[in-house]
Amino acid sequence: MRAWMGMAPLLLAACTGSYEPTPLTDKQAIKLDKALAGKVAGEKVSCINREPQTSLTVISNNVLLYRVSRRLVYKNELIGSCSGLTYGDTMIVRSYGSQMCRGDFTTTANLQTGITTGACALGDFIPYRAPKP
């Protein structure tokens, strides 16, 4: 029952189609630009492989970067806002199999208190690749 209450804001946003992501602050925009500097955006994809070496960088409560290598980074704009990400809360992705895909349900939680702080879903993954030398 508690899980459904946490999903209510996400479900309402999905039904209305009126979700507008919070604009990045100047500091967040600089962090994003620095992380993607020298890389070129590719065609968005719905899923990426879960790889052990993939590292997550939180830009804002609704923008994430998954670094696969120095040459490849995926940008994900979450559907909804996972409050707490910018405060260091842990992201819990509910996906099945070896891939993370658009629509996979995500929650954020404060591990010290055990309280769920946000709920959202993964969006499309936009690959950013460094040009070949």
Side-chain angles (χ1 to χ4, degrees):
M1 181 69 165
R2 221 182 277 173
W4 284 104
M5 291 187 324
M7 289 176 43
L10 178 63
L11 294 173
L12 289 174
C15 292
T16 62
S18 64
Y19 171 72
E20 283 293 322
T22 304
L24 297 177
T25 64
D26 290 340
K27 186 176 179 180
Q28 292 168 338
I30 290 168
K31 184 177 180 180
L32 179 63
D33 290 344
K34 184 177 178 182
L36 300 177
K39 294 178 177 57
V40 179
E43 291 291 319
K44 64 184 175 182
V45 295
S46 296
C47 297
I48 64 170
N49 289 330
R50 271 187 190 264
E51 299 187 30
Q53 69 271 17
T54 301
S55 66
L56 173 69
T57 301
V58 174
I59 300 297
S60 71
N61 285 331
N62 57 324
V63 177
L64 307 173
L65 296 178
Y66 289 94
R67 182 173 301 281
V68 175
S69 67
R70 289 183 345 138
R71 299 182 52 82
L72 175 60
V73 176
Y74 287 97
K75 177 183 169 192
N76 191 285
E77 294 184 10
L78 298 170
I79 301 166
S81 179
C82 271
S83 302
L85 283 175
T86 55
Y87 297 115
D89 288 357
T90 298
M91 190 167 103
I92 304 160
V93 179
R94 289 179 177 81
S95 62
Y96 305 95
S98 62
Q99 293 189 317
M100 292 185 291
C101 296
R102 174 184 174 78
D104 282 349
F105 187 68
T106 303
T107 55
T108 53
N110 181 308
L111 294 183
Q112 293 178 341
T113 63
I115 296 174
T116 301
T117 56
C120 56
L122 295 174
D124 287 317
F125 295 87
I126 303 168
Y128 284 81
R129 288 184 171 83
K132 294 185 180 186

